[in-house]
C-alpha cells in the first residue's frame, strides 16, 4: 500500500461541479458519508451546492481560478475536516500531481495512485506500456521537430493516419490524414489545438481505422490484488470524436470476443498496478474484427450509468469503498450482464451548426420519468449554461430487457424531455436512435458523419415565448379523456362518484 491515508471515510470533498458532483453526493448520502461541495462564483446557486452538507467558495468562474486550483481544493478539504477527495471526471481527475498533493496532505484520493495516472496520462507512453504487456495496439510514431520524419513514418504506417495529441482528451487535437499532401498542415493545426487545450503541443501518428467501433471496458481493482472488468460499453456514436450515445451490451460482441477484450483490459490495468475504477478504450476494426487499445481513462467515465444498470453495481459507491481499503465484494465469475442500457448525452449545442456549444439560461426543464428511466443532471430551470464549463446539461439513461425495448423507451423518454430557453441536441439524438442504421446495430464511429451531416431540425425554430404560450393554451384546451367523458365507460374511479369518501358523513 502506498500514499494516502486509507481507512474509513466519513467526509468527502467533491472537487468538481455539475451532474457528476450531484452523482457523487447521492452515493455519499447512501453510504452515510458527509459531503463538502466546492464552487466557483458562477455556481453559487447550483444544485450540488444546495445538496451537499457544506459548500466552500474556491474562486472566480474560470476553471483555472477555481476548479483547476489544486491548492485551494486541498485547503478546502483540510479546513472542513474531510478525509477524502473525489475528483469526478474532467478538471483535475486525471492530474497525477493533484492526486499526489491530496495524498501528501494526508487525505485519501478516490481514484488510482498518482503513478498509474502518470503512466497512462501520455497516450504514446501508455501505448508502449500496454504493448509490452501483450495488449494489441496500432502502429504509432512520435517524432521530434523534423517534419520529414513524420512523412516517412506516415508512409510506413500507411494512409490514412490519425494525428493525435500526446496529452489528448475529449476528442481534441485530432486530425485524419488521407494523403501525404495534407500531413504537415494537419500536424501544425493539431499542435496548435493541443497547446491551447492541454498546454502541451506534442502530437503523434497512429494508423487510422476507417470502419471502426469504439468499444471500451470498465475495469475495477482493489488494493488486495483483485482486478476485474465489468464488461463493455459501445460508444461509437460520436461527433467531433466525442461520444454522445452509449450503450451496453455492444451488439457487435460475441462471448468469445468479449472474453478476449475483457482479458486484455484487465491486463492493461494490471500493467500499471491500477486501483479503483478505470476504463480501457479499444478501437475495433470491423473489416477484420481485430481490436486495439486506444487509451486508458484513469477515472470514473461519463457513461458509467449504462454499466450500473446492466451489472446492478453502483460504481461510485464502489469507488469510495475501494478507496477506503475494502476489497471488491465480487470476483470476475460473479459478474454478469442483464438487459440493455442506453445513454444519450444532452448537450447545449446546435447539431445543425457544427455541434457548436450554445450558452444561455434554461427557462424551463421537464425531465422524463418512468420505469427504467434515469436522468443524471446538475442543472434545473433558471440555471445558466456558461462559456466557462462543459455544455453537457444532463445524461438520459434508460434500461429494458433488450435493445429493441431500450430504444423504444429512450424514444418515449426523449419525447417527454422539455428544455426551453436554449438550443439542445434532444431532437438530434432522437433522430439518431430512430435511424435504420442505429436500430440495426450498425453503429460505427462514422455514423453521424455519414447519415447526419446535413441534419436540420424538423420545425423552423420558434421563440420560447411562443412555445410557452402554446403549451399553456394546449393545457387549457386539452379535452377530458374519452374514458372520463363517457359515463358508460367501464372505468372504476372513486373520484368520479360524488359519495365515495364523504368525511364525517
Ligand atoms: P469520457 O471519456 O468519460 O467518455 P469525455 O472524453 O467526453 O468523456 O471527457 C470528459 C468530459 O466531461 C470532458 O469533456 C469534460 O469537459 C466533461 N466534464 C467534466 N466535468 C464535468 C461536469 N461536472 N459535468 C459535465 N461534464 C463535465
Ligand atoms: P480522447 O483522449 O480524445 O478520447 P481517443 O484516443 O480515445 O482520444 O480517441 C477518441 C475517438 O477518436 C475514438 O473514440 C475514435 O472514435 C476516434 N479514434 C481515435 N483513434 C483512432 C484510430 N486509430 N482509428 C480510428 N478512429 C480513432
Ligand atoms: Mg478517449
Amino acid at each position: 500500500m502506498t500514499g494516502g491515508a486509507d481507512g474509513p471515510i466519513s467526509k468527502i470533498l467533491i472537487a468538481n461541479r455539475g451532474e457528476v458532483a450531484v452523482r457523487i453526493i447521492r452515493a455519499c448520502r447512501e453510504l452515510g458519508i458527509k459531503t463538502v461541495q466546492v464552487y466557483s462564483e458562477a455556481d453559487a446557486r447550483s444544485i450540488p451546492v444546495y445538496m451537499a452538507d457544506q459548500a466552500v467558495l474556491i474562486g472566480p468562474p474560470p476553471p483555472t481560478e477555481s476548479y483547476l486550483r489544486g491548492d485551494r481544493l486541498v485547503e478546502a478539504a483540510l479546513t472542513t475536516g474531510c478525509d477524502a477527495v473525489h475528483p469526478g471526471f474532467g478538471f483535475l481527475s486525471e492530474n497525477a500531481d493533484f492526486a499526489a498533493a491530496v495524498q501528501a496532505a494526508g487525505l485519501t484520493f478516490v481514484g488510482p495512485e498518482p503513478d498509474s495516472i502518470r503512466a497512462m496520462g501520455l497516450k504514446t507512453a501508455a501505448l508502449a506500456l500496454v504493448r509490452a504487456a501483450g495488449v494489441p495496439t496500432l502502429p504509432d510514431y512520435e517524432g521530434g521537430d523534423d517534419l520529414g520524419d513524420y512523412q516517412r513514418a506516415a508512409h510506413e504506417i500507411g494512409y490514412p493516419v490519425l494525428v493525435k495529441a500526446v496529452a489528448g482528451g475529449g476528442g481534441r487535437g485530432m486530425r485524419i490524414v488521407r494523403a501525404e499532401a495534407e500531413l504537415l498542415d494537419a500536424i501544425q493545426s493539431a499542435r496548435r489545438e493541443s497547446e491551447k487545450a492541454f498546454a502541451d503541443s506534442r502530437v503523434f501518428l497512429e494508423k487510422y481505422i476507417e470502419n471502426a467501433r469504439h468499444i471500451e471496458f470498465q475495469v475495477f481493482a482493489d488494493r488486495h490484488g483483485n482486478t476485474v472488468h465489468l464488461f463493455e460499453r459501445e460508444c461509437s456514436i460520436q461527433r467531433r470524436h466525442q461520444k454522445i450515445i452509449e450503450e451496453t451490451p455492444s451488439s457487435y460482441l460475441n462471448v468469445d470476443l468479449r472474453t478476449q477484450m475483457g482479458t486484455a483490459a484487465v491486463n492493461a490495468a494490471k500493467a500499471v498496478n491500477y486501483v479503483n475504477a478505470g476504463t480501457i478504450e479499444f478501437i475495433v476494426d470491423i473489416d477484420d474484427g481485430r481490436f486495439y487499445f486506444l487509451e486508458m481513462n484513469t477515472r470514473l467515465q461519463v457513461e458509467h450509468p449504462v454499466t450500473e444498470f446492466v451489472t446492478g453495481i453502483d460504481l461510485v459507491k464502489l469507488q469510495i469503498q475501494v478507496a477506503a481499503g475494502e476489497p471488491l465484494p465480487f470476483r470476475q465469475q460473479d459478474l454478469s450482464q442483464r438487459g440493455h442500457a442506453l445513454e444519450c448525452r444532452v448537450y447545449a449545442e446546435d447539431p445543425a451548426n457544427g455541434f457548436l456549444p450554445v450558452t444561455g439560461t434554461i427557462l424551463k426543464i421537464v425531465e422524463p420519468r418512468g420505469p427504467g428511466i434515469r436522468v443524471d443532471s446538475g442543472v434545473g430551470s433558471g440555471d445558466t449554461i456558461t462559456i466557462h464549463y462543459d455544455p453537457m446539461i444532463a445524461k438520459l439513461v434508460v434500461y429494458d430487457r433488450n435493445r429493441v425495448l431500450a430504444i423504444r423507451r429512450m424514444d418515449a423518454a426523449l419525447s417527454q424531455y422539455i428544455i426551453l430557453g436554449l438550443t439542445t441536441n434532444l431532437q438530434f439524438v432522437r433522430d439518431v436512435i430512430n435511424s435504420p442504421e442505429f436500430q440495426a446495430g450498425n453503429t460505427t464511429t462514422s455514423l453521424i458523419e455519414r447519415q447526419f451531416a446535413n441534419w436540420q431540425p424538423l420545425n423552423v425554430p420558434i421563440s420560447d415565448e411562443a412555445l410557452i404560450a402554446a403549451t399553456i393554451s394546449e393545457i387549457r384546451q386539452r379535452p377530458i379523456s374519452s374514458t372520463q367523458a363517457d359515463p358508460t365507460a367501464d372505468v372504476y374511479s372513486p373520484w368520479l362518484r360524488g359519495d365515495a369518501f364523504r368525511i364525517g358523513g
Side-chain angles (χ1 to χ4, degrees):
M1 213 185 276
T2 51
D6 304 299
I9 293 174
S10 58
K11 194 169 183 182
I12 292 184
L13 183 103
I14 296 152
N16 212 301
R17 65 179 299 281
E19 66 96 9
V20 71
V22 170
R23 173 70 190 88
I24 298 163
I25 293 171
R26 287 200 175 114
C28 289
R29 281 256 172 88
E30 292 178 23
L31 290 169
I33 293 171
K34 293 245 178 298
T35 49
V36 178
Q37 178 63 51
V38 297
Y39 64 97
S40 74
E41 285 159 8
D43 287 334
R45 293 165 179 278
S46 67
I47 291 173
V49 168
Y50 284 100
M51 281 179 74
D53 295 299
Q54 263 175 283
V56 179
L57 176 66
I58 43 161
T64 48
E65 294 172 47
S66 50
Y67 298 104
L68 292 174
R69 283 291 300 266
D71 54 339
R72 291 195 188 153
L73 296 168
V74 170
E75 194 195 312
L78 292 174
T79 54
T80 54
C82 288
D83 35 36
V85 174
H86 196 306
F89 42 70
F91 295 128
L92 294 174
S93 61
E94 293 184 273
N95 185 308
D97 293 339
F98 176 63
V102 167
Q103 292 187 344
L107 302 161
T108 298
F109 181 74
V110 182
E113 286 300 321
D115 284 348
S116 311
I117 301 177
R118 208 166 275 127
M120 289 295 188
L122 298 175
K123 285 201 163 76
T124 40
L127 286 170
L129 219 150
V130 303
R131 195 176 285 145
V135 177
T137 57
L138 288 160
D140 70 306
Y141 174 78
E142 184 184 4
D145 286 334
D146 185 352
L147 293 174
D149 290 342
Y150 282 90
Q151 280 172 324
R152 282 183 285 279
H155 182 74
E156 204 168 299
I157 291 170
Y159 289 94
V161 298
L162 190 59
V163 180
K164 297 174 84 165
V166 171
R172 282 166 302 178
M174 240 179 263
R175 300 286 181 281
I176 302 165
V177 183
R178 294 204 162 78
E180 183 167 314
E182 304 157 11
L183 182 67
L184 299 187
D185 279 351
I187 289 174
Q188 310 284 17
S189 76
R191 276 184 175 161
R192 279 193 301 271
E193 185 178 338
S194 179
E195 177 64 38
K196 224 179 124 198
F198 315 110
D200 184 332
S201 65
R202 285 174 292 172
V203 297
F204 70 106
L205 305 179
E206 188 171 83
K207 173 79 190 157
Y208 181 67
I209 306 296
E210 203 82 60
N211 296 316
R213 286 177 180 253
H214 172 122
I215 300 177
E216 61 185 31
F217 274 70
Q218 175 71 53
V219 294
F220 229 111
D222 63 21
R223 293 188 183 283
H224 307 273
N226 307 302
T227 307
V228 301
H229 71 82
L230 287 88
F231 310 103
E232 78 276 10
R233 287 183 291 258
E234 159 88 56
C235 309
S236 301
I237 306 301
Q238 308 179 346
R239 48 102 184 83
R240 293 207 247 102
H241 303 298
Q242 198 191 32
K243 306 152 189 168
I244 43 174
I245 301 174
E246 302 102 336
E247 63 182 305
T248 188
S250 163
S251 43
Y252 186 77
L253 297 191
N254 55 31
V255 175
D256 194 38
L257 190 50
R258 180 172 290 120
T259 306
Q260 278 182 47
M261 292 178 77
T263 304
V266 166
N267 289 340
K270 283 182 172 166
V272 290
N273 302 315
Y274 201 77
V275 173
N276 219 292
T279 294
I280 308 292
E281 297 189 336
F282 294 107
I283 197 93
V284 183
D285 185 339
I286 61 168
D287 292 334
D288 61 12
R290 292 167 76 164
F291 65 90
Y292 307 93
F293 171 96
L294 278 187
E295 65 162 346
M296 179 173 196
N297 292 327
T298 55
R299 55 170 162 86
L300 184 72
Q301 198 92 333
V302 175
E303 56 275 19
H304 74 277
V306 294
T307 299
E308 297 189 316
F309 262 136
V310 162
T311 61
I313 292 163
D314 185 314
L315 293 176
V316 180
K317 280 205 249 177
L318 193 57
Q319 279 195 297
I320 296 166
Q321 287 160 334
V322 162
E326 292 177 32
L328 289 177
F330 46 71
R331 295 155 300 167
Q332 188 68 58
Q333 61 265 37
D334 301 324
L335 300 169
S336 61
Q337 295 167 293
R338 185 162 175 269
H340 199 98
L342 258 180
E343 171 179 286
C344 288
R345 299 190 188 187
V346 181
Y347 279 99
E349 68 180 21
D350 187 357
N353 185 19
F355 301 97
L356 224 62
V358 305
T359 56
T361 298
I362 299 171
L363 292 178
K364 177 82 185 160
I365 189 160
V366 183
E367 292 168 352
R369 293 171 184 207
I373 296 176
R374 165 174 169 180
V375 179
D376 276 25
S377 169
V379 292
S381 304
D383 283 339
T384 301
I385 306 294
T386 72
I387 51 159
H388 300 295
Y389 312 119
D390 197 85
M392 193 168 80
I393 295 172
K395 303 178 310 206
L396 172 58
V397 197
V398 303
Y399 174 75
D400 211 329
R401 287 204 312 281
N402 57 46
R403 187 168 191 268
V404 171
L405 295 175
I407 293 174
R408 271 196 222 155
R409 180 160 280 173
M410 179 60 88
D411 179 54
L414 284 167
S415 76
Q416 296 162 39
Y417 211 142
I418 298 170
I419 300 174
L420 300 179
L422 36 65
T423 307
T424 72
N425 66 345
L426 277 175
Q427 196 190 324
F428 179 80
V429 289
R430 197 172 169 209
D431 287 351
V432 174
I433 64 151
N434 283 314
S435 70
E437 261 198 85
F438 184 87
Q439 302 215 336
N442 296 331
T443 49
T444 67
T445 52
S446 60
L447 187 141
I448 289 193
E449 244 164 78
R450 284 184 286 110
Q451 308 275 325
F452 292 92
N454 301 312
W455 182 87
Q456 290 292 323
L458 256 180
N459 309 306
V460 272
I462 38 175
S463 73
D464 294 315
E465 291 76 7
L467 268 175
I468 293 164
T471 308
I472 291 168
S473 70
E474 204 240 331
I475 291 167
R476 281 196 171 145
Q477 287 166 20
R478 196 171 292 166
I480 306 168
S481 78
S482 56
T483 47
Q484 278 176 301
D486 179 3
T488 64
D490 187 20
V491 175
Y492 171 74
S493 167
W495 305 106
L496 296 178
R497 296 172 47 197
D499 59 349
F501 299 106
R502 195 164 293 144
I503 297 168

